[in-house]
DNA sequence: AGTGCGGCCTGTCCGC
DNA sequence: TGCGGACAGGCCGCAC
């Protein structure tokens, strides 16, 4: 389900509701996520306060502090650690009144002191929740990630350099998180359409100038999607329960046979790198 | 090292 | 209407 814009939309919805709040208790109804929840998962979180909610690629990072050390006791590190959450294919986070009864697939609740609960729902359980005391960027799941697509570290030259010698289709290359972090299937298709590049073309056989256009297209596409609250295809809802409206802006994704918005040629569907691809056979070369 | 594939899960949709 | 199969927004881990 969620790609970078949906995760960012979730972050923006959740952040103001949990920042500065203390976790009173943790309810685990299902530990079997992508990686089973650690035995001490709840114990690590209870009593901690949310200092910040960040995002790296499609990971949400809840920075946690311990409450201040009472005077006269041994100093406790102020930094408690980071809760890393990935929403996988079907995950969502909602902030709700703590008394809201859980529905099926509501696996984990963080219950806050002000009567609200942060609830993870994830029918397919491809998502995960991990606690780490260390710098999450050094965690094995995050450490090999490429640059953030919306940062200045991401540009055409980076893509061109990374693509040298690569024979995989450019769409698979663009979805490789070690190349650039957080570009999933929807936005890879849309960005390639904007840049006029055939998704099947070998990544190593694309000129540097075209990678400039592609990097720009990725940034524009993601930024516009975030502005519209992400893409709701079937079931994505933001933290406050609202669907995203970028679906209306999609040019190719999930629209086989529809006219290309640029040249009216029917959009074609194909499998590229084991994923569904949608493109205009006329203006993507 | 880079590439391609299987697998993890449940829900939904489509064709018979 | 029921049932099997394909497919779905992600991504790890393996074999080549």
């Amino acid at each position: 389900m969620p790609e970078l814009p949906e995760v960012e939309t979730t972050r923006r919805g959740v952040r103001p509701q949990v920042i500065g709040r203390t976790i009173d208790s943790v309810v685990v109804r299902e530990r079997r996520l992508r990686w089973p929840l650690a035995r001490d998962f709840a114990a690590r979180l209870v009593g901690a306060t949310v200092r910040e909610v960040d995002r790296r690629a499609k990971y949400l990072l809840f920075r946690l502090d311990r409450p201040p050390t009472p005077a006269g006791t041994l100093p406790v590190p102020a930094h408690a650690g980071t809760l890393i959450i990935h929403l996988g294919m079907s995950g969502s986070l909602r902030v709700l009144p703590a008394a809201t009864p859980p529905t099926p697939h509501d696996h984990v609740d963080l219950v806050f002191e002000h009567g609200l609960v942060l609830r993870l729902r994830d029918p397919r359980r491809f998502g995960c929740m991990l606690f780490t005391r260390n710098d999450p960027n050094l965690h094995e799941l995050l450490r090999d990630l490429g640059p953030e697509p919306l940062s200045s570290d991401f540009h055409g030259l980076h893509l061109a350099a990374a693509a040298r010698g690569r024979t995989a289709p450019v769409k698979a290359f663009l979805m490789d998180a070690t190349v650039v972090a957080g570009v999933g299937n929807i936005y890879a298709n849309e960005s390639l359409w904007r840049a006029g590049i055939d998704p099947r073309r070998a990544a190593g056989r694309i000129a540097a100038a075209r990678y400039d256009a592609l990097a720009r297209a990725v940034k524009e596409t993601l930024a516009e999607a975030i502005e519209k609250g992400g893409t709701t295809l079937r079931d994505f809802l933001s933290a406050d329960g609202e669907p995203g409206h970028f679906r209306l802006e999609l040019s190719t994704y999930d629209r086989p046979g529809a006219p290309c918005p640029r040249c009216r040629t029917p959009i074609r569907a194909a499998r590229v790198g084991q994923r569904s691809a949608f493109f205009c056979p006329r203006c993507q070369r």
Side-chain angles (χ1 to χ4, degrees):
Chain A
M1 172 224 289
E3 294 194 32
L4 188 150
E6 292 74 48
V7 176
E8 178 62 19
T9 297
T10 299
R11 186 186 79 81
R12 293 181 184 188
V14 162
R15 198 190 96 100
Q17 311 231 54
V18 301
I19 216 139
R21 299 298 182 173
T22 299
I23 301 168
D24 261 358
S25 60
V26 176
V27 179
V28 177
R29 297 184 197 83
E30 174 60 81
R31 335 183 65 87
R32 293 173 302 163
L33 304 184
R34 174 80 195 250
W35 289 282
L37 290 189
R39 208 164 308 126
D40 62 355
F41 177 77
R44 302 275 205 149
L45 302 180
V46 171
T49 298
V50 179
R51 174 162 42 85
E52 187 50 275
V53 183
D54 293 323
R55 179 186 58 73
R56 171 75 172 113
K58 296 171 196 162
Y59 292 91
L60 287 168
L61 307 176
F62 288 73
R63 315 280 188 176
L64 302 178
D65 285 337
R66 283 284 157 202
T69 311
T73 62
L74 286 172
V76 175
H79 173 74
T82 304
L83 172 64
I84 303 173
I85 300 182
H86 196 293
L87 299 176
M89 202 91 130
S90 59
S92 61
L93 284 177
R94 302 278 303 274
V95 177
L96 301 162
T100 312
T103 60
H105 312 299
D106 285 344
H107 304 315
V108 179
D109 285 354
L110 304 193
V111 185
F112 287 90
E113 105 275 3
H114 62 321
L116 292 184
V117 61
L118 180 70
R119 180 163 285 171
L120 174 77
R121 176 182 150 87
D122 187 3
R124 289 172 74 178
R125 291 192 272 122
F126 285 0
C128 67
M129 280 183 142
L130 302 158
F131 176 84
T132 179
R133 283 193 188 288
N134 305 320
D135 179 352
N137 289 311
L138 304 179
H139 192 280
E140 53 181 11
L141 291 175
L142 280 75
R143 81 186 157 201
D144 295 328
L145 292 171
E148 280 294 313
L150 293 172
S151 78
S152 57
D153 297 341
F154 176 65
H155 42 64
L157 276 179
H158 167 77
L159 283 178
R164 204 171 308 183
R166 307 266 298 236
T167 57
V170 61
K171 177 163 172 287
F173 169 75
L174 193 59
M175 292 174 67
D176 178 343
T178 68
V179 171
V180 54
V183 180
N185 204 28
I186 295 178
Y187 300 105
N189 277 297
E190 291 298 307
S191 303
L192 288 162
W193 176 81
R194 275 194 201 214
I197 297 172
D198 187 325
R200 300 165 297 181
R201 180 176 283 275
R205 311 209 45 189
I206 292 175
R210 308 192 73 199
Y211 273 124
D212 269 341
L214 182 56
R216 277 199 307 276
V218 167
K219 286 172 192 282
E220 288 167 11
T221 307
L222 294 177
E224 285 173 30
I226 291 168
E227 225 171 278
K228 306 265 173 174
T231 300
T232 298
L233 288 180
R234 281 162 269 278
D235 55 7
F236 170 74
L237 297 177
S238 66
D240 55 11
E242 288 297 306
H245 301 295
F246 193 69
R247 176 164 213 194
L248 301 168
E249 320 284 323
L250 295 177
S251 299
T252 64
Y253 188 83
D254 208 18
R255 309 192 52 188
C260 166
R262 205 156 34 211
C263 74
R264 318 313 292 171
T265 303
I267 295 299
R268 226 175 106 184
R271 297 296 284 186
V272 176
Q274 296 90 243
R275 304 298 298 275
S276 54
F278 303 91
F279 61 99
C280 171
R282 175 138 178 247
C283 53
Q284 290 180 253
R285 296 293 169 157

